Amino acid sequence: MSTKEKFIETIRQGYSFKGDSIIFGTAIFNGEAIPDLHIKMPLATINRHGLIAGATGTGKTKTVQLFAEALSEKSIPVMLMDIKGDLSGIAAEGYVNPKIEERHQKIGLPYQPKKFPVEFLSLSDEKGVRLRATVLEFGPILISKILELNDVQSGLVSVLFKYCDDNNLPLLDLKDFKKILQYASNEGKQEIEKEYGNISTTSLGTILRKVIELEQQGADKFFGERSFDVDDLLRLDENGNGVISVLRLIDLQNRPKLFSTFMLCLLAEIYQTFPELGDKPEPKLVIVIDEAHLIFNEASKALLEQIETIIKLIRSKGVGIYFCTQNPQDVPASVLSQLGLKIQHALRAFTAQDRKMIKLTAENYPLSEFYKTDELLTSLGIGEAAITVLNEKGIPTPLAATLLCAPRSRMDVLTDDELNEILSKSKLITKYNEIIDRESAYEILNQKLERAAQQSSSEINKEVPQVRFPQQTKTTTRRTEKSAAEKIASSPLAKQVGRTLVRELARGIFGVLLGGKKR
């Protein structure tokens, strides 16, 4: 048996599955694509998570598009994080051209353009269905991890959540959370300490500053009502295709903290809401996180631990999570170890450090007698990738250089008119884009402080007696009684004494004047 025949047999056996699967492309041997030697992934292991990596311009985004299309056709809903804004074209049919036809002849599959059902979502001012969550839904533990609080500060947050719960003070948005922090630092400090123990004003000030920092990244638009129901990610269209929810994050590249906050909230909400499914023949939902380094680069140790924990556990809920990034080293080793699918596009070796990184990356793949993995990773062309998946028994399949299928939807963005037309037909827009600001902790505490101020002013007025002064008039017909001083001054004796004093004073003055003259 020749090496090529042995390769074909190895790949065919490694990628033969009993259950349903999706196709990525066809295997490449010695630079030649072998038609009909298809590289597939069983639906049963899609909830084992995965990684799509590669240098800029090697075709990662198109692979994400291809992956989402294949899942949608299998009635599996998908959520895509669109950081660069180039995934909107999935809602429109693709175009046939000679290059695509030639590629698909090599793969052994026909190319049929198709558009897919898409729902556009937004965390900010981008057009789409607004995603929100309340502070209360996050809870004290998650809020503390997002704000990177220490144990003392986290304890204070828990106390304030308990106080709000006991006193019917709904914490819905950041305005509410800031208000309870200010209230606990000033007017309400004594009241809260009486029931829940001592409170550090310094710690409260630190927490408030961190909330303001989060607010400056645009989190005030994310926290609030109406909360997004994660079950709305699980919809199918009238043809049974899974709806692809595209979260438009174009304006969040410089606000990674908000992005990581949202991702942690979403994963936690899905984990808490979705029922346990165990091992099912297909996943319930697939989430693809583009530019995954934005989550991990700015995440604290506590946040990374939380993400790692959820990724380990969420598989049993029928959810698969896929990270898309330029360098596999962008994803922490603790997370990489949980991933089943690996699609590695070409890497570039410009420096000694790059070459070391490529050798480390090559060690993450199964050993192959047909490829030198480190050399393969630098020789892949655009639209080609090194792939290994988990088979139905959870065993990694043989490494295969793969010529990938072209996406069937448009490999370009929608125009504004096309985007607006899709949004105008959305049923979720009317459900979630209404601004709701019902009475919550902010309004209730302000009313409480106003009542306290009015009551305090009323009590002060009662304690201080009001003094009324008689009205003075210019003329009066009433004879008023003289005072004692006036009576003494007007008595005969006083008058006599006064005349005597005047006479004596006059004599003295004239005596001095006359006595001073010489005759």
Side-chain angles (χ1 to χ4, degrees):
M1 182 183 292
S2 68
T3 306
K4 181 178 179 180
E5 290 173 340
K6 187 177 180 181
F7 171 78
I8 293 173
E9 183 63 25
T10 300
I11 296 299
R12 184 160 285 136
Q13 288 183 0
Y15 289 87
S16 295
F17 311 120
K18 293 180 180 179
D20 203 357
S21 60
I22 60 174
I23 297 175
F24 289 113
T26 199
I28 299 173
F29 180 73
N30 284 342
E32 176 191 355
I34 303 175
D36 300 320
L37 191 59
H38 295 153
I39 303 303
K40 301 179 288 186
M41 183 177 189
L43 297 185
T45 62
I46 286 179
N47 64 341
R48 303 296 180 93
H49 316 314
L51 173 72
I52 301 170
T56 300
T58 55
K60 296 189 304 298
T61 301
K62 303 313 170 194
T63 301
V64 169
Q65 195 169 339
L66 169 67
F67 187 39
E69 292 174 357
L71 292 170
S72 177
E73 280 199 317
K74 297 294 183 180
S75 300
I76 299 171
V78 184
M79 183 177 189
L80 305 178
M81 310 296 166
D82 189 9
I83 299 290
K84 300 185 292 293
D86 47 9
L87 285 171
S88 63
I90 203 168
E93 283 189 3
Y95 305 111
V96 179
N97 62 48
K99 288 185 178 180
I100 290 178
E101 289 181 333
E102 180 184 357
R103 173 180 289 265
H104 274 258
Q105 284 176 0
K106 293 179 180 179
I107 294 171
L109 291 173
Y111 180 77
Q112 298 175 339
K114 180 180 177 179
K115 64 178 180 180
F116 292 83
V118 173
E119 186 75 66
F120 292 102
L121 312 176
S122 172
L123 285 175
S124 56
D125 293 328
E126 288 290 329
K127 294 179 180 179
V129 177
R130 290 293 298 273
L131 302 187
R132 295 185 182 89
T134 66
V135 174
L136 186 61
E137 287 169 336
F138 266 68
I141 296 176
L142 204 54
I143 283 286
S144 297
K145 290 184 182 296
I146 290 165
L147 297 177
E148 302 176 16
L149 304 181
N150 59 33
D151 292 341
V152 174
Q153 295 161 350
S154 299
L156 281 178
V157 171
S158 297
V159 166
L160 295 180
F161 268 72
K162 181 69 170 67
Y163 172 79
C164 290
D165 187 44
D166 292 344
N167 291 272
N168 296 319
L169 299 172
L171 292 173
L172 303 181
D173 50 28
L174 289 186
K175 184 175 58 176
D176 295 324
F177 193 38
K178 289 194 299 180
K179 189 63 182 180
I180 189 61
L181 289 169
Q182 294 165 347
Y183 180 73
S185 301
N186 298 292
E187 299 90 345
K189 189 173 190 295
Q190 186 176 358
E191 174 195 352
I192 297 174
E193 285 185 336
K194 184 178 179 181
E195 294 292 332
Y196 304 95
N198 292 337
I199 289 179
S200 169
T201 305
T202 303
S203 294
L204 290 173
T206 301
I207 298 170
L208 182 59
R209 286 192 293 273
K210 292 195 174 188
V211 172
I212 293 173
E213 177 189 347
L214 186 64
E215 189 178 41
Q216 287 176 337
Q217 289 207 18
D220 55 327
K221 295 180 180 179
F222 171 62
F223 286 98
E225 291 185 310
R226 172 177 290 124
S227 297
F228 186 78
D229 185 352
V230 291
D231 284 338
D232 282 329
L233 297 174
L234 305 178
R235 295 176 301 140
L236 304 177
D237 72 354
E238 61 277 6
N239 299 316
N241 293 317
V243 172
I244 301 173
S245 300
V246 178
L247 178 57
R248 308 180 73 227
L249 299 168
I250 304 167
D251 58 346
L252 291 188
Q253 294 187 38
N254 297 323
R255 293 181 280 175
K257 195 151 194 174
L258 178 57
F259 182 44
S260 59
T261 297
F262 162 74
M263 280 309 308
L264 187 54
C265 172
L266 176 70
L267 296 178
E269 182 70 15
I270 287 174
Y271 179 72
Q272 292 172 4
T273 304
F274 287 7
E276 288 284 340
L277 295 178
D279 289 325
K280 292 290 184 179
E282 62 184 39
K284 188 174 184 177
L285 174 69
V286 171
I287 299 173
V288 183
I289 305 171
D290 196 9
E291 303 295 333
H293 64 277
L294 292 177
I295 293 181
F296 300 112
N297 288 356
E298 297 293 326
S300 64
K301 183 180 178 182
L303 193 59
L304 286 175
E305 290 175 353
Q306 189 76 14
I307 292 174
E308 179 186 348
T309 300
I310 291 177
I311 288 173
K312 287 179 179 178
L313 299 176
I314 205 169
R315 180 184 68 81
S316 63
K317 307 285 186 172
V319 178
I321 300 173
Y322 291 79
F323 300 98
C324 185
T325 187
Q326 292 185 16
N327 190 333
Q329 307 303 317
D330 292 337
V331 181
S334 58
V335 175
L336 278 177
S337 64
Q338 305 297 321
L339 308 181
L341 167 71
K342 293 185 179 70
I343 299 179
Q344 180 66 62
H345 287 265
L347 295 173
R348 307 298 182 219
F350 293 108
T351 66
Q353 185 65 32
D354 290 338
R355 287 189 289 272
K356 289 180 181 178
M357 183 270 295
I358 289 171
K359 287 184 178 181
L360 288 174
T361 301
E363 292 176 0
N364 293 329
Y365 290 86
L367 295 175
S368 173
E369 60 180 297
F370 307 107
Y371 305 109
K372 289 184 179 180
T373 308
D374 55 343
E375 294 180 4
L376 172 66
L377 297 182
T378 58
S379 62
L380 292 166
I382 297 173
E384 299 176 355
I387 296 179
T388 179
V389 306
L390 294 181
N391 65 21
E392 292 163 315
K393 294 182 179 179
I395 302 171
T397 58
L399 178 65
T402 307
L403 180 65
L404 296 167
C405 297
R408 295 164 62 188
S409 56
R410 184 189 299 175
M411 291 184 277
D412 198 357
V413 298
L414 297 179
T415 65
D416 286 340
D417 290 340
E418 289 173 325
L419 179 62
N420 291 333
E421 183 181 356
I422 293 174
L423 292 174
S424 67
K425 298 176 182 178
S426 171
K427 296 178 181 179
L428 297 186
I429 287 277
T430 55
K431 180 179 178 180
Y432 290 109
N433 284 31
E434 178 188 2
I435 298 176
I436 300 174
D437 189 15
R438 65 185 173 96
E439 186 178 72
S440 51
Y442 178 82
E443 290 80 11
I444 295 172
L445 287 175
N446 275 338
Q447 293 171 9
K448 183 176 181 179
L449 293 175
E450 288 176 6
R451 288 194 299 268
Q454 292 174 359
Q455 185 178 358
S456 176
S457 175
S458 177
E459 290 175 356
I460 291 173
N461 290 336
K462 289 180 180 179
E463 291 175 1
V464 179
Q466 293 185 358
V467 180
R468 293 185 178 180
F469 296 95
Q471 292 183 351
Q472 294 184 359
T473 55
K474 293 182 179 180
T475 59
T476 179
T477 57
R478 181 179 295 179
R479 186 183 178 93
T480 57
E481 186 178 354
K482 292 182 179 181
S483 65
E486 289 176 326
K487 289 179 179 179
I488 293 173
S490 60
S491 65
L493 178 59
K495 292 179 180 179
Q496 182 62 37
V497 172
R499 285 194 293 269
T500 302
L501 287 174
V502 170
R503 264 197 317 268
E504 291 300 323
L505 181 60
R507 274 196 199 124
I509 293 172
F510 283 118
V512 170
L513 293 174
L514 293 176
K517 292 183 180 182
K518 292 183 181 180
R519 296 191 182 190

